[in-house]
Amino acid sequence: MAATISKDVIVVGGGFAGVATAQHLARAGVEVLLVDKNNYHQFQPLLYQVATAQIGVSEVARPLRAIFRRHRSVRVAVSEVTALDPKAKTVTLADGTVCSAKILVVAVGAEANFFGITGAAEHSYPMYSLDDAVGLGARMIADLDRADSVTGRDHNLGLIVVGGGATGVELAGAVAHNLRSAVPRLFSEEFAQATEVHLVDMIPTVLAPFSERSQQYSREQLSKMGVRLHLGVGVTEVRPDGVTLKDGSKIPGSLVVWAGGLKASRLLGESGLPQGKGGRIDVNPDLTAPEFDGVYVLGDAANITDSKGRALPQLGSVAQQSGKWAARNIHADLTGGYRRPFRYIDKGIMAMIGRGAAVAEVGPGRRELHGPLAFFAWLGVHAALLSGVWQRVGAAASWSVDYLSHSRPQVVLGRVDSK
Ligand SMILES: Cc1cc2nc3c(=O)[nH]c(=O)nc-3n(C[C@H](O)[C@H](O)[C@H](O)COP(=O)(O)OP(=O)(O)OC[C@H]3O[C@@H](n4cnc5c(N)ncnc54)[C@H](O)[C@@H]3O)c2cc1C
């Protein structure tokens, strides 16, 4: 018979939101069971750097047990959660174990949304998890090795990135940079010049949440770096040898990366929680799920609004702050206090384009920075946000070596999952 475990609080998901909740509850001595299908917390904003050999896996992933080693009241369980019952406040693990709690926190993040586009799920590489980043990086290096065979060079290489948000822009920029720096050094100049990088988005710009000036700067920088932009036209089909656009034109390419959008995790759809935009849960101002008392939904799994009722974006800062806030409200639930409505502190947004080129809009007033200042601000903020000392030091060391020597020390081959 499957075991049953009971705790004060169960947190499902060890991402930004789940870790912040568990850390703040632990400080108040609350007994927490934190369940994640992976034994590590991953730092998604830097996944593209793993895929493009700028930093290593150990810099973006930190073992959950290491994060909570000093928090005796947090028990980490590594297992996929296969079912959630918000009414009974139970979760079922892959081995059939049922865990119940007074309070359930759902922080399962999101997954790639292919919007039903023909061939997208089968033939493109999504960029959402550490596995995705490692698989994509291995595939890019394997393609280069295969094309540079002893019998001659195959120049039919090309990367197509679908989606001009921060992930798509950062990835396209980093690959374009590699084609100028690491590829000529490790392969040949001619080979690098023949390889094209395309960025496609159905809207007529990149980085939609940024100001028009930041968008224009980003488009110019990408073009300068050799990224070919196809904006204002959607993708209708993804094939192993490229994509077809809505206007009927085709872009040839040996590899397609999907950075085209996210949707809520499948687990939410099967849980009975009422779903809103993007399949996410429209939470109450105090971050609880409507109709289910004692169930909190946080981060990318939720549609969270600010104090003026405006929808907040799916960002690490929103997830982290919602986790911290939920912990306070949960503590109030357990001690007879009052929940308070979530108040988001907007510290701004930033995106990396390439060496010395980035955009940042800082603070609620959105003070704009472009170029080297934004580039160094981006590096500083991301180093500071990494979860552990080892991760911060490792990333800073890799960035310094990369900046000073143009070398990519992480060029190793992993498992290649061909699509
Ligand atoms: C490539 C990329 C780049 C990004 N860049 C930025 C950026 O520069 N700045 C920024 O602010 N935001 C960025 N974001 C967004 C940010 O990373 C997310 O908003 C944030 O990670 C959401 O946190 P979360 O805790 O809700 O979910 P996640 O961080 O996704 O964590 C969800 C956790 O739940 C676990 N899980 C899921 N399903 C199950 C299950 N069934 N059983 C057990 N465990 C499960 C997962 O393993 C994961 O650990 C980026 C996102 C991506 C994908």
Side-chain angles (χ1 to χ4, degrees), residues 12-18 35-38 42 44-45 47 79-81 107-110 127-128 167 267 298-300 314-317 319 382:
V12 186
F16 284 113
V35 191
D36 199 294
K37 58 187 172 189
N38 299 311
Q42 59 193 350
Q44 286 170 331
L47 290 180
S79 172
E80 171 137 22
V81 168
V108 289
M127 260 295 289
Y128 197 72
T167 303
L267 196 61
L298 309 176
D300 280 5
Q314 275 64 55
L315 282 179
S317 48
H382 284 77

PDB file of all heavy atoms in Angstrom, residues 12-18 35-38 42 44-45 47 79-81 107-110 127-128 167 267 298-300 314-317 319 382, ligand 1:
ATOM      1  N   VAL A  12       5.052  22.497  -3.864  1.00  0.00           N
ATOM      2  CA  VAL A  12       5.345  21.718  -5.074  1.00  0.00           C
ATOM      3  C   VAL A  12       6.102  22.627  -6.043  1.00  0.00           C
ATOM      4  O   VAL A  12       5.551  23.617  -6.533  1.00  0.00           O
ATOM      5  CB  VAL A  12       4.064  21.185  -5.752  1.00  0.00           C
ATOM      6  CG1 VAL A  12       4.434  20.271  -6.917  1.00  0.00           C
ATOM      7  CG2 VAL A  12       3.194  20.446  -4.758  1.00  0.00           C
ATOM      8  N   GLY A  13       7.367  22.302  -6.297  1.00  0.00           N
ATOM      9  CA  GLY A  13       8.186  23.091  -7.217  1.00  0.00           C
ATOM     10  C   GLY A  13       9.299  23.820  -6.486  1.00  0.00           C
ATOM     11  O   GLY A  13       9.034  24.625  -5.589  1.00  0.00           O
ATOM     12  N   GLY A  14      10.532  23.522  -6.867  1.00  0.00           N
ATOM     13  CA  GLY A  14      11.702  24.161  -6.241  1.00  0.00           C
ATOM     14  C   GLY A  14      12.329  25.197  -7.153  1.00  0.00           C
ATOM     15  O   GLY A  14      13.546  25.292  -7.268  1.00  0.00           O
ATOM     16  N   GLY A  15      11.480  25.993  -7.834  1.00  0.00           N
ATOM     17  CA  GLY A  15      11.966  27.108  -8.648  1.00  0.00           C
ATOM     18  C   GLY A  15      12.058  28.359  -7.778  1.00  0.00           C
ATOM     19  O   GLY A  15      12.096  28.285  -6.542  1.00  0.00           O
ATOM     20  N   PHE A  16      12.063  29.522  -8.422  1.00  0.00           N
ATOM     21  CA  PHE A  16      12.194  30.783  -7.673  1.00  0.00           C
ATOM     22  C   PHE A  16      11.113  30.924  -6.604  1.00  0.00           C
ATOM     23  O   PHE A  16      11.381  31.312  -5.479  1.00  0.00           O
ATOM     24  CB  PHE A  16      12.083  31.975  -8.623  1.00  0.00           C
ATOM     25  CG  PHE A  16      13.310  32.211  -9.443  1.00  0.00           C
ATOM     26  CD1 PHE A  16      13.298  32.024 -10.806  1.00  0.00           C
ATOM     27  CD2 PHE A  16      14.485  32.633  -8.851  1.00  0.00           C
ATOM     28  CE1 PHE A  16      14.423  32.251 -11.570  1.00  0.00           C
ATOM     29  CE2 PHE A  16      15.625  32.862  -9.604  1.00  0.00           C
ATOM     30  CZ  PHE A  16      15.589  32.668 -10.970  1.00  0.00           C
ATOM     31  N   ALA A  17       9.860  30.621  -6.990  1.00  0.00           N
ATOM     32  CA  ALA A  17       8.741  30.837  -6.065  1.00  0.00           C
ATOM     33  C   ALA A  17       8.777  29.823  -4.922  1.00  0.00           C
ATOM     34  O   ALA A  17       8.662  30.198  -3.741  1.00  0.00           O
ATOM     35  CB  ALA A  17       7.414  30.752  -6.822  1.00  0.00           C
ATOM     36  N   GLY A  18       8.937  28.544  -5.257  1.00  0.00           N
ATOM     37  CA  GLY A  18       8.902  27.489  -4.236  1.00  0.00           C
ATOM     38  C   GLY A  18      10.044  27.615  -3.251  1.00  0.00           C
ATOM     39  O   GLY A  18       9.844  27.480  -2.026  1.00  0.00           O
ATOM     40  N   VAL A  35       8.723  19.492  -2.726  1.00  0.00           N
ATOM     41  CA  VAL A  35       8.827  18.408  -3.719  1.00  0.00           C
ATOM     42  C   VAL A  35       9.194  18.989  -5.077  1.00  0.00           C
ATOM     43  O   VAL A  35       8.560  19.937  -5.546  1.00  0.00           O
ATOM     44  CB  VAL A  35       7.468  17.663  -3.879  1.00  0.00           C
ATOM     45  CG1 VAL A  35       7.661  16.390  -4.697  1.00  0.00           C
ATOM     46  CG2 VAL A  35       6.835  17.351  -2.546  1.00  0.00           C
ATOM     47  N   ASP A  36      10.209  18.412  -5.702  1.00  0.00           N
ATOM     48  CA  ASP A  36      10.544  18.799  -7.080  1.00  0.00           C
ATOM     49  C   ASP A  36      10.965  17.543  -7.835  1.00  0.00           C
ATOM     50  O   ASP A  36      11.564  16.632  -7.272  1.00  0.00           O
ATOM     51  CB  ASP A  36      11.677  19.832  -7.115  1.00  0.00           C
ATOM     52  CG  ASP A  36      11.708  20.581  -8.451  1.00  0.00           C
ATOM     53  OD1 ASP A  36      11.998  19.951  -9.497  1.00  0.00           O
ATOM     54  OD2 ASP A  36      11.402  21.781  -8.460  1.00  0.00           O
ATOM     55  N   LYS A  37      10.671  17.538  -9.138  1.00  0.00           N
ATOM     56  CA  LYS A  37      11.052  16.363  -9.929  1.00  0.00           C
ATOM     57  C   LYS A  37      12.567  16.306 -10.146  1.00  0.00           C
ATOM     58  O   LYS A  37      13.114  15.244 -10.429  1.00  0.00           O
ATOM     59  CB  LYS A  37      10.316  16.349 -11.266  1.00  0.00           C
ATOM     60  CG  LYS A  37      10.554  17.564 -12.123  1.00  0.00           C
ATOM     61  CD  LYS A  37       9.643  17.531 -13.330  1.00  0.00           C
ATOM     62  CE  LYS A  37       9.746  18.835 -14.090  1.00  0.00           C
ATOM     63  NZ  LYS A  37       8.768  18.972 -15.140  1.00  0.00           N
ATOM     64  N   ASN A  38      13.233  17.442  -9.992  1.00  0.00           N
ATOM     65  CA  ASN A  38      14.699  17.480 -10.070  1.00  0.00           C
ATOM     66  C   ASN A  38      15.267  17.681  -8.675  1.00  0.00           C
ATOM     67  O   ASN A  38      14.621  18.283  -7.819  1.00  0.00           O
ATOM     68  CB  ASN A  38      15.161  18.642 -10.955  1.00  0.00           C
ATOM     69  CG  ASN A  38      14.656  18.497 -12.371  1.00  0.00           C
ATOM     70  OD1 ASN A  38      14.779  17.435 -12.980  1.00  0.00           O
ATOM     71  ND2 ASN A  38      14.068  19.561 -12.902  1.00  0.00           N
ATOM     72  N   GLN A  42      17.013  25.414 -10.620  1.00  0.00           N
ATOM     73  CA  GLN A  42      17.689  25.922 -11.822  1.00  0.00           C
ATOM     74  C   GLN A  42      17.428  27.414 -12.008  1.00  0.00           C
ATOM     75  O   GLN A  42      16.354  27.910 -11.697  1.00  0.00           O
ATOM     76  CB  GLN A  42      17.251  25.146 -13.062  1.00  0.00           C
ATOM     77  CG  GLN A  42      15.767  25.196 -13.324  1.00  0.00           C
ATOM     78  CD  GLN A  42      15.313  24.184 -14.357  1.00  0.00           C
ATOM     79  OE1 GLN A  42      16.123  23.556 -15.012  1.00  0.00           O
ATOM     80  NE2 GLN A  42      14.019  24.037 -14.500  1.00  0.00           N
ATOM     81  N   GLN A  44      16.846  29.883 -14.513  1.00  0.00           N
ATOM     82  CA  GLN A  44      16.460  29.934 -15.934  1.00  0.00           C
ATOM     83  C   GLN A  44      17.057  31.107 -16.723  1.00  0.00           C
ATOM     84  O   GLN A  44      17.391  30.942 -17.893  1.00  0.00           O
ATOM     85  CB  GLN A  44      14.946  29.938 -16.064  1.00  0.00           C
ATOM     86  CG  GLN A  44      14.365  28.575 -15.778  1.00  0.00           C
ATOM     87  CD  GLN A  44      12.865  28.607 -15.671  1.00  0.00           C
ATOM     88  OE1 GLN A  44      12.285  29.616 -15.284  1.00  0.00           O
ATOM     89  NE2 GLN A  44      12.228  27.508 -15.980  1.00  0.00           N
ATOM     90  N   PRO A  45      17.188  32.314 -16.131  1.00  0.00           N
ATOM     91  CA  PRO A  45      17.714  33.420 -16.939  1.00  0.00           C
ATOM     92  C   PRO A  45      19.078  33.140 -17.573  1.00  0.00           C
ATOM     93  O   PRO A  45      19.432  33.779 -18.556  1.00  0.00           O
ATOM     94  CB  PRO A  45      17.798  34.570 -15.927  1.00  0.00           C
ATOM     95  CG  PRO A  45      16.712  34.271 -14.940  1.00  0.00           C
ATOM     96  CD  PRO A  45      16.700  32.780 -14.817  1.00  0.00           C
ATOM     97  N   LEU A  47      20.108  30.017 -18.665  1.00  0.00           N
ATOM     98  CA  LEU A  47      20.131  28.743 -19.408  1.00  0.00           C
ATOM     99  C   LEU A  47      20.733  28.925 -20.798  1.00  0.00           C
ATOM    100  O   LEU A  47      21.450  28.059 -21.295  1.00  0.00           O
ATOM    101  CB  LEU A  47      18.722  28.163 -19.529  1.00  0.00           C
ATOM    102  CG  LEU A  47      18.098  27.643 -18.236  1.00  0.00           C
ATOM    103  CD1 LEU A  47      16.699  27.101 -18.515  1.00  0.00           C
ATOM    104  CD2 LEU A  47      18.960  26.569 -17.600  1.00  0.00           C
ATOM    105  N   SER A  79      10.831  13.954  -6.533  1.00  0.00           N
ATOM    106  CA  SER A  79       9.866  13.083  -7.204  1.00  0.00           C
ATOM    107  C   SER A  79       8.962  13.943  -8.073  1.00  0.00           C
ATOM    108  O   SER A  79       8.704  15.104  -7.744  1.00  0.00           O
ATOM    109  CB  SER A  79       8.992  12.368  -6.167  1.00  0.00           C
ATOM    110  OG  SER A  79       7.956  11.668  -6.821  1.00  0.00           O
ATOM    111  N   GLU A  80       8.484  13.368  -9.148  1.00  0.00           N
ATOM    112  CA  GLU A  80       7.476  14.072  -9.938  1.00  0.00           C
ATOM    113  C   GLU A  80       6.148  14.011  -9.179  1.00  0.00           C
ATOM    114  O   GLU A  80       5.781  12.963  -8.638  1.00  0.00           O
ATOM    115  CB  GLU A  80       7.335  13.379 -11.294  1.00  0.00           C
ATOM    116  CG  GLU A  80       6.171  13.895 -12.086  1.00  0.00           C
ATOM    117  CD  GLU A  80       6.509  14.107 -13.541  1.00  0.00           C
ATOM    118  OE1 GLU A  80       7.468  13.502 -14.028  1.00  0.00           O
ATOM    119  OE2 GLU A  80       5.779  14.880 -14.175  1.00  0.00           O
ATOM    120  N   VAL A  81       5.454  15.124  -9.123  1.00  0.00           N
ATOM    121  CA  VAL A  81       4.089  15.105  -8.568  1.00  0.00           C
ATOM    122  C   VAL A  81       3.163  14.768  -9.727  1.00  0.00           C
ATOM    123  O   VAL A  81       3.159  15.444 -10.748  1.00  0.00           O
ATOM    124  CB  VAL A  81       3.748  16.472  -7.936  1.00  0.00           C
ATOM    125  CG1 VAL A  81       2.271  16.573  -7.617  1.00  0.00           C
ATOM    126  CG2 VAL A  81       4.573  16.675  -6.677  1.00  0.00           C
ATOM    127  N   ALA A 107       3.764  25.732  -7.099  1.00  0.00           N
ATOM    128  CA  ALA A 107       4.738  26.623  -7.760  1.00  0.00           C
ATOM    129  C   ALA A 107       5.468  25.813  -8.829  1.00  0.00           C
ATOM    130  O   ALA A 107       6.687  25.698  -8.822  1.00  0.00           O
ATOM    131  CB  ALA A 107       5.699  27.185  -6.719  1.00  0.00           C
ATOM    132  N   VAL A 108       4.680  25.241  -9.739  1.00  0.00           N
ATOM    133  CA  VAL A 108       5.235  24.277 -10.709  1.00  0.00           C
ATOM    134  C   VAL A 108       5.735  24.921 -11.998  1.00  0.00           C
ATOM    135  O   VAL A 108       6.139  24.215 -12.923  1.00  0.00           O
ATOM    136  CB  VAL A 108       4.209  23.170 -11.052  1.00  0.00           C
ATOM    137  CG1 VAL A 108       4.009  22.232  -9.884  1.00  0.00           C
ATOM    138  CG2 VAL A 108       2.876  23.766 -11.503  1.00  0.00           C
ATOM    139  N   GLY A 109       5.714  26.251 -12.074  1.00  0.00           N
ATOM    140  CA  GLY A 109       6.277  26.913 -13.254  1.00  0.00           C
ATOM    141  C   GLY A 109       5.420  26.724 -14.492  1.00  0.00           C
ATOM    142  O   GLY A 109       4.191  26.595 -14.416  1.00  0.00           O
ATOM    143  N   ALA A 110       6.085  26.708 -15.630  1.00  0.00           N
ATOM    144  CA  ALA A 110       5.364  26.648 -16.905  1.00  0.00           C
ATOM    145  C   ALA A 110       6.103  25.713 -17.851  1.00  0.00           C
ATOM    146  O   ALA A 110       7.161  25.170 -17.509  1.00  0.00           O
ATOM    147  CB  ALA A 110       5.299  28.056 -17.504  1.00  0.00           C
ATOM    148  N   MET A 127      13.478  25.971 -24.957  1.00  0.00           N
ATOM    149  CA  MET A 127      14.493  26.476 -24.018  1.00  0.00           C
ATOM    150  C   MET A 127      13.809  26.809 -22.711  1.00  0.00           C
ATOM    151  O   MET A 127      13.518  27.971 -22.433  1.00  0.00           O
ATOM    152  CB  MET A 127      15.112  27.753 -24.604  1.00  0.00           C
ATOM    153  CG  MET A 127      16.438  27.542 -25.277  1.00  0.00           C
ATOM    154  SD  MET A 127      17.723  27.029 -24.145  1.00  0.00           S
ATOM    155  CE  MET A 127      17.964  28.531 -23.253  1.00  0.00           C
ATOM    156  N   TYR A 128      13.503  25.796 -21.914  1.00  0.00           N
ATOM    157  CA  TYR A 128      12.868  26.133 -20.645  1.00  0.00           C
ATOM    158  C   TYR A 128      13.582  25.540 -19.435  1.00  0.00           C
ATOM    159  O   TYR A 128      13.535  26.100 -18.364  1.00  0.00           O
ATOM    160  CB  TYR A 128      11.385  25.724 -20.648  1.00  0.00           C
ATOM    161  CG  TYR A 128      10.641  26.416 -19.544  1.00  0.00           C
ATOM    162  CD1 TYR A 128      10.369  27.784 -19.617  1.00  0.00           C
ATOM    163  CD2 TYR A 128      10.276  25.754 -18.384  1.00  0.00           C
ATOM    164  CE1 TYR A 128       9.751  28.450 -18.587  1.00  0.00           C
ATOM    165  CE2 TYR A 128       9.649  26.404 -17.344  1.00  0.00           C
ATOM    166  CZ  TYR A 128       9.390  27.760 -17.453  1.00  0.00           C
ATOM    167  OH  TYR A 128       8.782  28.432 -16.425  1.00  0.00           O
ATOM    168  N   THR A 167      14.504  35.561 -24.089  1.00  0.00           N
ATOM    169  CA  THR A 167      15.194  34.286 -24.305  1.00  0.00           C
ATOM    170  C   THR A 167      15.693  34.182 -25.743  1.00  0.00           C
ATOM    171  O   THR A 167      16.851  33.817 -25.989  1.00  0.00           O
ATOM    172  CB  THR A 167      14.243  33.108 -23.987  1.00  0.00           C
ATOM    173  OG1 THR A 167      13.788  33.259 -22.649  1.00  0.00           O
ATOM    174  CG2 THR A 167      14.918  31.771 -24.154  1.00  0.00           C
ATOM    175  N   LEU A 267      -0.110  19.766 -15.079  1.00  0.00           N
ATOM    176  CA  LEU A 267      -0.604  19.361 -13.761  1.00  0.00           C
ATOM    177  C   LEU A 267      -1.758  20.251 -13.295  1.00  0.00           C
ATOM    178  O   LEU A 267      -2.704  19.784 -12.665  1.00  0.00           O
ATOM    179  CB  LEU A 267       0.563  19.459 -12.775  1.00  0.00           C
ATOM    180  CG  LEU A 267       0.459  18.761 -11.446  1.00  0.00           C
ATOM    181  CD1 LEU A 267       0.299  17.259 -11.620  1.00  0.00           C
ATOM    182  CD2 LEU A 267       1.690  19.056 -10.609  1.00  0.00           C
ATOM    183  N   LEU A 298       1.658  30.220  -7.110  1.00  0.00           N
ATOM    184  CA  LEU A 298       2.673  31.271  -7.189  1.00  0.00           C
ATOM    185  C   LEU A 298       3.465  31.233  -8.494  1.00  0.00           C
ATOM    186  O   LEU A 298       3.470  30.236  -9.214  1.00  0.00           O
ATOM    187  CB  LEU A 298       3.671  31.090  -6.026  1.00  0.00           C
ATOM    188  CG  LEU A 298       3.076  30.955  -4.621  1.00  0.00           C
ATOM    189  CD1 LEU A 298       4.188  30.678  -3.624  1.00  0.00           C
ATOM    190  CD2 LEU A 298       2.310  32.209  -4.226  1.00  0.00           C
ATOM    191  N   GLY A 299       4.195  32.317  -8.745  1.00  0.00           N
ATOM    192  CA  GLY A 299       5.137  32.374  -9.869  1.00  0.00           C
ATOM    193  C   GLY A 299       4.459  32.181 -11.213  1.00  0.00           C
ATOM    194  O   GLY A 299       3.343  32.658 -11.457  1.00  0.00           O
ATOM    195  N   ASP A 300       5.150  31.463 -12.108  1.00  0.00           N
ATOM    196  CA  ASP A 300       4.668  31.274 -13.479  1.00  0.00           C
ATOM    197  C   ASP A 300       3.376  30.461 -13.557  1.00  0.00           C
ATOM    198  O   ASP A 300       2.749  30.417 -14.611  1.00  0.00           O
ATOM    199  CB  ASP A 300       5.737  30.533 -14.310  1.00  0.00           C
ATOM    200  CG  ASP A 300       6.841  31.457 -14.791  1.00  0.00           C
ATOM    201  OD1 ASP A 300       6.842  32.635 -14.405  1.00  0.00           O
ATOM    202  OD2 ASP A 300       7.706  30.984 -15.562  1.00  0.00           O
ATOM    203  N   GLN A 314       5.458  37.015 -16.322  1.00  0.00           N
ATOM    204  CA  GLN A 314       6.079  35.794 -15.796  1.00  0.00           C
ATOM    205  C   GLN A 314       7.586  36.048 -15.705  1.00  0.00           C
ATOM    206  O   GLN A 314       8.330  35.858 -16.658  1.00  0.00           O
ATOM    207  CB  GLN A 314       5.775  34.604 -16.724  1.00  0.00           C
ATOM    208  CG  GLN A 314       4.441  33.942 -16.447  1.00  0.00           C
ATOM    209  CD  GLN A 314       3.265  34.846 -16.709  1.00  0.00           C
ATOM    210  OE1 GLN A 314       3.134  35.377 -17.794  1.00  0.00           O
ATOM    211  NE2 GLN A 314       2.407  35.034 -15.721  1.00  0.00           N
ATOM    212  N   LEU A 315       8.006  36.525 -14.556  1.00  0.00           N
ATOM    213  CA  LEU A 315       9.405  36.890 -14.340  1.00  0.00           C
ATOM    214  C   LEU A 315       9.917  36.276 -13.041  1.00  0.00           C
ATOM    215  O   LEU A 315       9.138  36.066 -12.096  1.00  0.00           O
ATOM    216  CB  LEU A 315       9.548  38.411 -14.210  1.00  0.00           C
ATOM    217  CG  LEU A 315       9.505  39.240 -15.486  1.00  0.00           C
ATOM    218  CD1 LEU A 315       9.638  40.708 -15.142  1.00  0.00           C
ATOM    219  CD2 LEU A 315      10.599  38.816 -16.454  1.00  0.00           C
ATOM    220  N   GLY A 316      11.244  36.079 -12.993  1.00  0.00           N
ATOM    221  CA  GLY A 316      11.857  35.542 -11.791  1.00  0.00           C
ATOM    222  C   GLY A 316      11.563  36.421 -10.571  1.00  0.00           C
ATOM    223  O   GLY A 316      11.299  35.913  -9.484  1.00  0.00           O
ATOM    224  N   SER A 317      11.594  37.750 -10.772  1.00  0.00           N
ATOM    225  CA  SER A 317      11.382  38.646  -9.627  1.00  0.00           C
ATOM    226  C   SER A 317       9.955  38.536  -9.096  1.00  0.00           C
ATOM    227  O   SER A 317       9.731  38.573  -7.881  1.00  0.00           O
ATOM    228  CB  SER A 317      11.686  40.090 -10.032  1.00  0.00           C
ATOM    229  OG  SER A 317      11.031  40.392 -11.247  1.00  0.00           O
ATOM    230  N   ALA A 319       8.089  35.810  -9.320  1.00  0.00           N
ATOM    231  CA  ALA A 319       8.005  34.495  -8.668  1.00  0.00           C
ATOM    232  C   ALA A 319       8.625  34.553  -7.275  1.00  0.00           C
ATOM    233  O   ALA A 319       8.030  34.105  -6.290  1.00  0.00           O
ATOM    234  CB  ALA A 319       8.706  33.459  -9.535  1.00  0.00           C
ATOM    235  N   HIS A 382      22.735  39.588 -12.440  1.00  0.00           N
ATOM    236  CA  HIS A 382      22.558  38.140 -12.569  1.00  0.00           C
ATOM    237  C   HIS A 382      23.512  37.370 -11.660  1.00  0.00           C
ATOM    238  O   HIS A 382      23.129  36.343 -11.103  1.00  0.00           O
ATOM    239  CB  HIS A 382      22.666  37.707 -14.032  1.00  0.00           C
ATOM    240  CG  HIS A 382      21.423  38.051 -14.797  1.00  0.00           C
ATOM    241  ND1 HIS A 382      21.148  39.333 -15.215  1.00  0.00           N
ATOM    242  CD2 HIS A 382      20.349  37.292 -15.161  1.00  0.00           C
ATOM    243  CE1 HIS A 382      19.967  39.349 -15.812  1.00  0.00           C
ATOM    244  NE2 HIS A 382      19.466  38.130 -15.793  1.00  0.00           N
TER     245      HIS A 382
HETATM  246  C1  LIG B   1      15.069  30.669 -20.767  1.00  0.00           C
HETATM  247  C2  LIG B   1      14.431  31.597 -19.757  1.00  0.00           C
HETATM  248  C3  LIG B   1      15.012  32.823 -19.474  1.00  0.00           C
HETATM  249  C4  LIG B   1      14.442  33.677 -18.537  1.00  0.00           C
HETATM  250  N1  LIG B   1      15.042  34.876 -18.259  1.00  0.00           N
HETATM  251  C5  LIG B   1      14.546  35.660 -17.291  1.00  0.00           C
HETATM  252  C6  LIG B   1      15.202  36.874 -16.915  1.00  0.00           C
HETATM  253  O1  LIG B   1      16.227  37.240 -17.496  1.00  0.00           O
HETATM  254  N2  LIG B   1      14.681  37.597 -15.897  1.00  0.00           N
HETATM  255  C7  LIG B   1      13.548  37.203 -15.236  1.00  0.00           C
HETATM  256  O2  LIG B   1      13.122  37.880 -14.286  1.00  0.00           O
HETATM  257  N3  LIG B   1      12.891  36.095 -15.582  1.00  0.00           N
HETATM  258  C8  LIG B   1      13.365  35.310 -16.580  1.00  0.00           C
HETATM  259  N4  LIG B   1      12.716  34.164 -16.924  1.00  0.00           N
HETATM  260  C9  LIG B   1      11.468  33.823 -16.234  1.00  0.00           C
HETATM  261  C10 LIG B   1      11.742  33.193 -14.886  1.00  0.00           C
HETATM  262  O3  LIG B   1      12.788  32.260 -14.980  1.00  0.00           O
HETATM  263  C11 LIG B   1      10.466  32.536 -14.404  1.00  0.00           C
HETATM  264  O4  LIG B   1       9.481  33.527 -14.305  1.00  0.00           O
HETATM  265  C12 LIG B   1      10.656  31.875 -13.049  1.00  0.00           C
HETATM  266  O5  LIG B   1      11.597  30.824 -13.133  1.00  0.00           O
HETATM  267  C13 LIG B   1       9.347  31.322 -12.528  1.00  0.00           C
HETATM  268  O6  LIG B   1       9.586  30.740 -11.295  1.00  0.00           O
HETATM  269  P1  LIG B   1       8.644  29.594 -10.754  1.00  0.00           P
HETATM  270  O7  LIG B   1       9.161  29.230  -9.414  1.00  0.00           O
HETATM  271  O8  LIG B   1       7.235  29.982 -10.891  1.00  0.00           O
HETATM  272  O9  LIG B   1       8.849  28.384 -11.779  1.00  0.00           O
HETATM  273  P2  LIG B   1      10.163  27.602 -12.162  1.00  0.00           P
HETATM  274  O10 LIG B   1      11.367  28.385 -11.870  1.00  0.00           O
HETATM  275  O11 LIG B   1       9.933  27.133 -13.541  1.00  0.00           O
HETATM  276  O12 LIG B   1      10.146  26.353 -11.185  1.00  0.00           O
HETATM  277  C14 LIG B   1       9.177  25.352 -11.265  1.00  0.00           C
HETATM  278  C15 LIG B   1       9.719  24.129 -10.567  1.00  0.00           C
HETATM  279  O13 LIG B   1       8.678  23.164 -10.497  1.00  0.00           O
HETATM  280  C16 LIG B   1       9.203  21.884 -10.773  1.00  0.00           C
HETATM  281  N5  LIG B   1       8.106  21.057 -11.276  1.00  0.00           N
HETATM  282  C17 LIG B   1       7.320  21.312 -12.344  1.00  0.00           C
HETATM  283  N6  LIG B   1       6.403  20.347 -12.489  1.00  0.00           N
HETATM  284  C18 LIG B   1       6.611  19.461 -11.481  1.00  0.00           C
HETATM  285  C19 LIG B   1       5.990  18.250 -11.095  1.00  0.00           C
HETATM  286  N7  LIG B   1       4.943  17.748 -11.754  1.00  0.00           N
HETATM  287  N8  LIG B   1       6.480  17.588 -10.026  1.00  0.00           N
HETATM  288  C20 LIG B   1       7.531  18.076  -9.332  1.00  0.00           C
HETATM  289  N9  LIG B   1       8.155  19.222  -9.655  1.00  0.00           N
HETATM  290  C21 LIG B   1       7.692  19.916 -10.711  1.00  0.00           C
HETATM  291  C22 LIG B   1      10.289  22.156 -11.810  1.00  0.00           C
HETATM  292  O14 LIG B   1      11.250  21.121 -11.849  1.00  0.00           O
HETATM  293  C23 LIG B   1      10.871  23.474 -11.322  1.00  0.00           C
HETATM  294  O15 LIG B   1      11.944  23.286 -10.447  1.00  0.00           O
HETATM  295  C24 LIG B   1      13.256  33.292 -17.878  1.00  0.00           C
HETATM  296  C25 LIG B   1      12.662  32.071 -18.170  1.00  0.00           C
HETATM  297  C26 LIG B   1      13.241  31.224 -19.104  1.00  0.00           C
HETATM  298  C27 LIG B   1      12.603  29.919 -19.414  1.00  0.00           C
END
